[in-house]
Amino acid sequence: MMSEIHRVTVQAVLVEEEVQFTLDELCRLCGADSDQLVALVQEGVLPTSGDRPEVWRFGGSSLPRARAATRLTRDLELNAAAAALVLDLLDEIDALRSQLRRHGHV
């Protein structure tokens, strides 16, 4: 049963990765304005393809990260640099937790 749940999760992630969003679409999905997301891209929070905002494309995995970043900027009134730092720290915590689980400490 557990392996079936894992396979479904992996398939969902693979499908999600294939999705592409424009800047306008990502703004609508996050409830953010383009200036906010441009600042997050400039801080390295959101990877993008394309050389300018009009042609940027964001992968599906950018959606949860963009939502988290816009929530941080809105709810905690953080600027893009601070949101980037918080997200980096949260990523590091997740990586450490995964490492602990792999070694049977959690």
Side-chain angles (χ1 to χ4, degrees), residues 4 12 24 28 32 39 41 62-63 65 69-70 72 76 83 86 89 92 94 99 103-104:
E4 291 177 83
D24 288 338
R28 276 194 311 276
V41 168
S62 293
L63 179 58
R65 191 158 180 88
T70 55
L72 287 167
L76 299 179
V86 170
L89 292 171
E92 183 68 24
D94 286 343
Q99 208 171 28
H103 291 94

Side-chain angles (χ1 to χ4, degrees), residues 4-92:
E4 291 177 83
I5 293 170
H6 179 68
R7 264 185 266 143
V8 171
T9 302
V10 171
Q11 288 173 351
V13 171
L14 292 175
V15 170
E16 185 177 303
E17 280 294 321
E18 294 173 6
V19 173
Q20 294 282 306
F21 301 109
T22 65
L23 179 60
D24 288 338
E25 291 168 335
L26 196 59
C27 286
R28 276 194 311 276
L29 291 167
C30 294
D33 63 45
S34 61
D35 290 340
Q36 287 176 296
L37 294 186
V38 168
L40 292 169
V41 168
Q42 291 170 339
E43 287 297 329
V45 173
L46 300 173
T48 185
S49 62
D51 58 356
R52 60 189 192 286
E54 299 80 30
V55 295
W56 280 349
R57 293 294 177 268
F58 298 88
S61 62
S62 293
L63 179 58
R65 191 158 180 88
R67 284 181 171 164
T70 55
R71 223 176 12 256
L72 287 167
T73 58
R74 182 178 46 247
D75 297 349
L76 299 179
E77 299 179 8
L78 299 179
N79 64 21
L85 177 61
V86 170
L87 289 172
D88 286 346
L89 292 171
L90 291 172
D91 289 345
E92 183 68 24

Side-chain angles (χ1 to χ4, degrees), residues 95 97-105:
R97 284 182 178 154
S98 293
Q99 208 171 28
L100 285 172
R101 273 193 292 276
R102 276 195 309 276
H103 291 94
H105 296 292

